[in-house]
């Protein structure tokens, strides 16, 4: 397994990292209404989140996004590590998409207009898995 960052990894890492870092920085100063909305949506899909208050949950999400965005942007962090973090984060978002009512068309994976915001995050899952698989398979040349 290669543990260095390849030049070809940088465009995807930079695009995803900048997007996620911006999202985390934006949530840092979220108002009560925004925090309640984020918490409500997440706790409907992930029941353990109900134990956290909305502001605490939003601060934790913000810190996680800032951390992940930074990891993706720093080329000294191996792509396998950054990709695993991205895949885990995006897997959680994909779970929201799959399990939140009204996000998908009845009996389909196709998004509703309300679901497009979450459905688009599947590209993050694909990128994360691609980084990990490329790293694992990269030594088999």
């Amino acid at each position: 397994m290669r543990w260095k960052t390849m030049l070809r990894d940088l465009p995807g890492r930079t695009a995803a990292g900048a997007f996620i870092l911006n999202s985390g920085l934006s949530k840092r100063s979220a108002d009560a209404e925004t925090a309640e909305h984020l918490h409500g949506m997440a706790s409907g899909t992930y029941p353990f989140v109900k134990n956290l208050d909305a502001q605490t949950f939003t601060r934790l999400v913000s810190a996680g996004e800032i951390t992940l965005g930074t990891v993706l942007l720093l080329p000294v962090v191996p792509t396998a590590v950054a990709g695993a973090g991205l895949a885990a984060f995006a897997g959680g978002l994909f779970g929201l998409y799959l399990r939140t009512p009204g996000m998908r068309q009845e009996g389909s994976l196709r998004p509703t207009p309300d679901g497009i915001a979450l459905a688009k995050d599947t590209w993050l899952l694909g990128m994360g898995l691609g980084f990990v698989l490329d790293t694992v398979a990269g030594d088999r040349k």
Side-chain angles (χ1 to χ4, degrees):
M1 180 182 310
R2 69 176 164 81
W3 285 99
K4 62 183 179 178
T5 299
M6 303 296 284
L7 187 60
R8 68 175 177 249
D9 300 332
L10 294 179
R13 286 182 64 164
T14 301
F19 189 87
I20 293 167
L21 178 60
N22 180 63
S23 179
L25 291 171
S26 297
K27 286 180 181 78
R28 225 174 35 177
S29 59
D31 60 19
E33 183 179 341
T34 301
E36 288 293 334
H37 174 74
L38 290 170
H39 182 258
M41 188 168 190
S43 63
T45 301
Y46 300 109
F48 66 89
V49 171
K50 290 179 184 174
N51 297 332
L52 297 170
D53 99 343
Q55 290 289 57
T56 300
F57 171 75
T58 302
R59 280 194 301 275
L60 290 171
V61 170
S62 171
E65 288 180 342
I66 290 168
T67 301
L68 178 59
T70 302
V71 162
L72 285 161
L73 289 169
L74 291 175
V76 296
V77 176
T79 296
V81 174
L86 180 58
F89 173 74
L93 294 174
F94 191 58
L96 278 174
Y97 172 68
L98 291 176
R99 297 171 67 190
T100 302
M103 296 293 116
R104 295 181 296 121
Q105 295 179 15
E106 187 76 28
S108 172
L109 287 176
R110 293 176 55 207
T112 63
D114 290 340
I116 290 175
L118 285 175
K120 67 162 182 56
D121 291 332
T122 57
W123 63 271
L124 293 173
L125 181 59
M127 288 172 65
L129 292 173
F131 288 150
V132 172
L133 291 174
D134 187 47
T135 301
V136 171
D139 286 342
R140 297 186 182 169
K141 294 179 188 176

